[in-house]
Amino acid sequence: MSIRLFVSYVCLSCVVASCVNKSLKLKIKMPKVKANTSSRLLSYVSEFGSSVFLVDQSVLFCKLCEVKVSAEKRFTVLQHLKTEKHIKSVNRIDKSKKSQQLLEFNPPTKKCQFNKDLCEAMLFANFPLNKIENLKFKAFLQEYTGKEIPKEATLRKGYVDDCYQDTLAKIRNCVSNNKIWVSIDETTDVEGRFVANVIIGVLRTDGPGEIFLLNTEELEKANHQTIFKLFDKSMSILWQQGVHHDNVLLFLSDAAPYMVKSGKVIQALYSKMIHVTCIVHGFHRVAEEVRSYFNIVDQLISSVKKVFLKAPTRSRIFKNEAPDIPMPPRPILNRWGTWLDAANYYCENYEVIKNIINKLDENDASSIKKAKDIFNNPNLKATLAFISSNYSFLSTYITRLEKQNMMLSEYFRQGIDNSMENLEDSNVSDLKFYKFAPVTSVDVERSFLRYKNLLANNRRSFTFENIRKILVIQCNSFG
C-alpha cells in the first residue's frame, strides 16, 4: 500500500514539474511591452537635466537650441547633444554664468569723478569730445593729471547725461519756489529745423536774479499751439513734482502774431502771468522800416562792403590812406541796429571814403564802379546826414536795452514810453518782483549764438537729444 502511494506521489510530482516548465517557457517567449512615451521622455529630462530638455506632451524640446528633438531612441538624443549648435549653446550659457559670477564677486565701482569733471569742462568749452582721442592731447592730460584718460565713447555714453541732469538739478535748486520770468523765441537752423529756446530768470526784489537756458526743442512748425506745448513742457521740467503756476509772473517774446496768440493761451493756465513783447524788437522793426525808405544808402553800404571784402590789396590802400579810421562796417541785418551804425559811419567819414573809392580802378571789380556811381549822386551826403541826425538814436537805445541786469525803472528812463496797465491787473503783493524784470528777449538771441557755434559745419551728426543736453550745459555756468 505504501509502495502504491509512493509511486502515485512521484507521478504527480513529475506532472506538476512538467506543467511548471511549460509555463516558464511560455513566459520567456512572450514579446516585450513598449514603455509609455511620456515616461520615456521624462527619463531623458531626468538623465540630462531640466535645464537642457523640456517635455511638452509627446515632444522633447531642447531649451538651449530651441528645437524639437527626435526621441524615438536614446542614441538620437545623444546625437543631438553632440551637434555643433548644441555645443555652442552650452558654451554660451557657461560663459554667461561665469560673467555673472564675476560681476557678483566684483560689483561695478561708481563712476569716476575725474571723468565727469573732464566731460563737463569739455562740453562747457564747446570742445568736441572726440578730441580726447588726439594722442598728443591725451598724453598731455595723462602726464599733468596723473589720471587714466577715458575714451570718447566712455564720456559720451557714460557722462554727458549725468552732466545734463546735474545742470537741471542746479537750476531747480536755484529756482526752487521763487517767482520767475520766461522768454521763448524760435529760429531756423542750418539743417532747416524749427528750433525754439526757453530762457528763465529768477525775479528777486533785492537785485537781478539768475538767468538760465532751461530747454531747447525742435518744433514741427512755429505756431501758437507748439509754443504753448513747449512752454508747459518746460515748466514741467523745472518743477517735476508739480508746476507752480502762480510763480510764473512774466512771459517775454517777440511781437510775431503767433507769439501774441500763444501768450493769451498760456495766460489761461498761468493766471498771474503777464505777456510783454520785446521792446528791442520794436526798435528793430522801426530801423528796418527806415532802411526800406533809403534805398540809395542801402546800396552804398552793400557795394562798399563788397569792395573791401576778401581784398587784402584794397584793404591795405584803405589803411594807408586813412590809418585812424576803422574799415567800412559789414552790417548783419538780423543784428539789431547795425545798419543804422553803418549809415552813421558813412555820414561821419563821407569825404575820406569817397576819395579812397575814387582812387581804386573800377575795372578791377563791378562793386568799385557801382560805389563810384553812388558817390556821384548829389543827394547822397544830405540823405546820410538826415538819417544820422534823426534815426541814429535807435541804435543807441537798442545797445543800452540789450544790457542784462537792469532795473525796470532804468528801461523806462532810456526813453521808453510803455504803460503799466498789465501790471495793475496783477496781484499787488507780486508787483515788487517786477523791479528787475527784463523787457527784452535778448537773452534768447544770445543762446541762439551758442547754438550756431555748437552746430558747426563739421559737427552735423548730432542727434537733437544730444544737442539739447550739450546746449543746456554750455549756457549755464555754476561757479
Side-chain angles (χ1 to χ4, degrees):
M1 190 70 181
S2 59
I3 295 173
R4 288 179 181 179
L5 289 174
F6 177 74
V7 171
S8 299
Y9 176 76
V10 171
C11 291
L12 182 61
S13 299
C14 291
V15 171
V16 172
S18 176
C19 291
V20 171
N21 288 334
K22 288 180 180 180
S23 175
L24 289 173
K25 289 179 181 179
L26 288 173
K27 191 172 183 180
I28 292 172
K29 292 180 180 179
M30 287 179 63
K32 293 182 179 179
V33 179
K34 289 187 177 180
N36 182 275
T37 302
S38 178
S39 301
R40 185 176 70 256
L41 297 181
L42 288 173
S43 68
Y44 296 143
V45 174
S46 176
E47 181 180 357
F48 300 109
S50 58
S51 61
V52 178
F53 289 123
L54 173 70
V55 174
D56 182 11
Q57 295 179 352
S58 60
V59 175
L60 184 66
F61 186 80
C62 178
K63 294 168 69 175
L64 304 184
C65 303
E66 297 183 348
V67 295
K68 185 178 75 170
V69 178
S70 176
E72 287 294 325
K73 296 185 180 294
R74 186 174 181 275
F75 82 90
T76 60
V77 178
L78 293 174
Q79 280 183 332
H80 171 76
L81 296 176
K82 295 177 181 178
T83 60
E84 183 179 357
K85 182 178 181 181
H86 186 85
I87 293 171
K88 285 183 177 180
S89 299
V90 172
N91 292 337
R92 185 177 66 251
I93 297 297
D94 289 343
K95 187 176 180 180
S96 177
K97 287 181 179 178
K98 289 178 181 178
S99 299
Q100 184 63 30
Q101 290 172 355
L102 185 63
L103 188 64
E104 291 174 358
F105 183 75
N106 298 312
T109 58
K110 64 180 182 179
K111 291 185 177 180
C112 176
Q113 186 63 39
F114 170 76
N115 290 355
K116 184 178 177 182
D117 292 342
L118 176 62
C119 180
E120 187 174 28
M122 293 182 70
L123 294 178
F124 189 77
N126 197 26
F127 201 60
L129 293 181
N130 60 8
K131 296 297 183 183
I132 203 71
E133 302 288 353
N134 181 280
L135 296 179
K136 189 71 175 178
F137 181 57
K138 192 170 187 177
F140 170 82
L141 289 177
Q142 284 180 328
E143 181 175 355
Y144 288 96
T145 64
K147 302 285 187 179
E148 183 66 28
I149 306 304
K151 293 184 178 295
E152 178 263 342
T154 302
L155 295 181
R156 178 168 46 83
K157 295 178 180 179
Y159 294 93
V160 171
D161 187 66
D162 288 353
C163 294
Y164 170 69
Q165 294 298 336
D166 282 355
T167 301
L168 288 182
K170 290 174 182 177
I171 294 173
R172 294 183 187 117
N173 184 59
C174 187
V175 172
S176 187
N177 293 320
N178 291 310
K179 309 293 183 181
I180 66 167
W181 57 267
V182 182
S183 183
I184 297 178
D185 200 1
E186 62 87 22
T187 189
T188 305
D189 68 9
V190 292
E191 297 291 321
R193 294 175 292 208
F194 294 109
V195 178
N197 284 359
V198 181
I199 299 287
I200 63 169
V202 179
L203 291 170
R204 302 191 186 279
T205 59
D206 56 349
E210 299 83 353
I211 299 173
F212 308 105
L213 172 67
L214 177 63
N215 191 20
T216 184
E217 288 282 348
E218 179 184 3
L219 307 178
E220 289 184 27
K221 50 187 175 181
N223 59 33
H224 75 281
Q225 292 178 331
T226 56
I227 296 299
F228 169 74
K229 290 178 181 178
L230 173 61
F231 187 104
D232 205 44
K233 179 181 178 180
S234 299
M235 295 304 100
S236 299
I237 292 174
L238 178 61
W239 288 302
Q240 291 182 301
Q241 306 304 320
V243 176
H244 301 179
H245 293 84
D246 289 344
N247 283 5
V248 183
L249 300 185
L250 177 65
F251 174 43
L252 278 168
S253 71
D254 59 25
Y258 70 89
M259 280 293 188
V260 175
K261 189 173 181 179
S262 68
K264 293 178 181 178
V265 176
I266 293 169
Q267 283 177 316
L269 282 179
Y270 300 82
S271 56
K272 288 191 174 185
M273 187 197 80
I274 64 171
H275 180 206
V276 175
T277 56
C278 176
I279 292 174
V280 178
H281 274 87
F283 280 133
H284 177 63
R285 287 191 172 188
V286 174
E288 285 293 289
E289 190 70 12
V290 171
R291 173 172 168 262
S292 67
Y293 277 99
F294 299 98
N295 188 50
I296 187 67
V297 175
D298 195 33
Q299 291 180 17
L300 172 69
I301 293 172
S302 176
S303 59
V304 176
K305 173 183 174 181
K306 292 177 182 177
V307 168
F308 297 101
L309 184 64
K310 296 181 180 179
T313 303
R314 296 176 208 147
S315 297
R316 281 196 297 270
I317 293 173
F318 184 97
K319 292 177 181 178
N320 291 333
E321 293 291 329
D324 299 328
I325 299 175
M327 293 293 294
R330 301 172 184 176
I332 302 171
L333 298 183
N334 59 1
R335 293 289 298 272
W336 304 332
T338 54
W339 187 89
L340 289 172
D341 290 336
N344 194 54
Y345 168 89
Y346 286 105
C347 178
E348 294 176 352
N349 305 289
Y350 181 84
E351 295 298 339
V352 176
I353 305 299
K354 182 179 180 180
N355 291 334
I356 294 173
I357 293 296
N358 286 333
K359 289 182 179 181
L360 299 177
D361 186 356
E362 63 183 40
N363 295 321
D364 285 350
S366 59
S367 57
I368 297 175
K369 185 178 185 307
K370 187 173 182 179
K372 285 184 177 182
D373 292 340
I374 295 171
F375 271 114
N376 289 330
N377 189 314
N379 299 320
L380 178 61
K381 189 173 183 179
T383 303
L384 287 169
F386 179 81
I387 295 173
S388 180
S389 59
N390 290 281
Y391 301 112
S392 60
F393 75 94
L394 289 173
S395 178
T396 302
Y397 282 131
I398 288 173
T399 303
R400 290 179 183 176
L401 291 169
E402 286 178 340
K403 294 180 180 178
Q404 289 182 324
N405 302 331
M406 290 176 63
M407 293 178 64
L408 189 60
S409 57
E410 290 183 63
Y411 285 114
F412 294 118
R413 281 201 295 269
Q414 301 297 344
I416 303 168
D417 182 16
N418 190 20
S419 68
M420 299 291 286
E421 57 183 351
N422 286 331
L423 297 181
E424 291 174 359
D425 295 334
S426 300
N427 192 314
V428 175
S429 62
D430 291 331
L431 291 178
K432 59 186 177 182
F433 293 105
Y434 291 96
K435 185 176 181 180
F436 291 92
V439 291
T440 70
S441 59
V442 294
D443 294 296
V444 186
E445 303 297 335
R446 292 187 179 105
S447 70
F448 285 139
L449 291 177
R450 287 284 187 99
Y451 179 87
K452 182 180 178 181
N453 292 334
L454 175 64
L455 210 63
N457 291 333
N458 60 343
R459 301 177 72 185
R460 300 289 175 81
S461 60
F462 275 123
T463 63
F464 202 86
E465 181 66 22
N466 282 337
I467 291 176
R468 176 189 299 110
K469 292 175 181 178
I470 295 174
L471 190 64
V472 168
I473 293 169
Q474 282 188 8
C475 292
N476 297 297
S477 173
F478 296 89

